[in-house]
Amino acid sequence: MNRKAWLLAAALALSSGSALSQAAPPLPRPLLSGSTSGLGWAIYAGGLRGADLQEDGQSLRLGAPVGASVLGTRYDAARKTALLTYRVPGGLGARSALAFATNQLQLQGFDLRERTFKDANSASATLSREGRKIEIQITRRDGGDLQVLYGFSKE
């Protein structure tokens, strides 16, 4: 290979390498995913950034707050619900957990329709987008564990 061709190849390799290093890191592998009533969704352990939530408007991305320990996930096909259970060091109230969950959905184009705070340990909300509805129920259990139940349906 002559010197000019070698320099051109090296420059191209460097420029493509820097473009790759500037790309957003790939999403982590979801803990649980599926499709309910024609709406794709995935639950992640946490650490989703705003850009991660806005990239793909069709499939929902849901997760726990940064630093949370995910204790489990479960899907109930008969009830069309997905459950995420997590614990945050230092604790987190039901109101704050609901704000976190609704914010994730609002970043993905859902409109908040209703929000209810029953007591310090339970809260709920209903959001909708393009004929799809998601109901969120937050329960803070003894010991500080939070259960977030997502109910998927059509309006």
Side-chain angles (χ1 to χ4, degrees):
M1 181 183 285
N2 70 30
R3 183 168 169 76
K4 270 186 168 177
W6 184 86
L7 288 173
L8 180 59
L12 286 172
L14 285 174
S15 67
S16 65
S18 66
L20 289 174
S21 67
Q22 292 176 2
L27 284 171
R29 187 176 186 142
L31 300 171
L32 182 67
S33 63
S35 179
T36 305
S37 300
L39 179 64
W41 52 268
I43 295 177
Y44 296 86
L48 296 176
R49 300 163 309 163
D52 295 332
L53 299 173
Q54 295 172 347
E55 282 181 10
D56 179 5
Q58 298 305 311
S59 184
L60 291 180
R61 295 174 180 164
L62 309 166
V66 172
S69 298
V70 173
L71 305 175
T73 59
R74 183 176 64 216
Y75 179 69
D76 184 332
R79 294 180 52 211
K80 297 181 181 178
T81 60
L83 179 68
L84 167 64
T85 303
Y86 64 87
R87 180 180 303 141
V88 176
L92 187 67
R95 183 178 290 258
S96 296
L98 183 67
F100 179 81
T102 57
N103 183 55
Q104 283 187 331
L105 290 168
Q106 288 175 306
L107 285 171
Q108 296 174 80
F110 278 79
D111 295 317
L112 182 61
R113 299 289 182 210
E114 181 181 346
R115 186 173 38 207
T116 306
F117 304 104
K118 183 177 176 185
D119 56 39
N121 293 317
S122 63
S124 62
T126 302
L127 298 96
S128 64
R129 177 184 84 183
E130 300 172 357
R132 307 276 188 227
K133 181 170 78 171
I134 297 188
E135 295 178 75
I136 304 170
Q137 295 177 2
I138 307 281
T139 304
R140 187 172 190 272
R141 303 179 57 96
D142 291 339
D145 298 349
L146 288 153
Q147 291 187 321
V148 183
L149 184 69
Y150 296 94
F152 305 101
S153 62
K154 292 183 179 181
E155 286 190 288

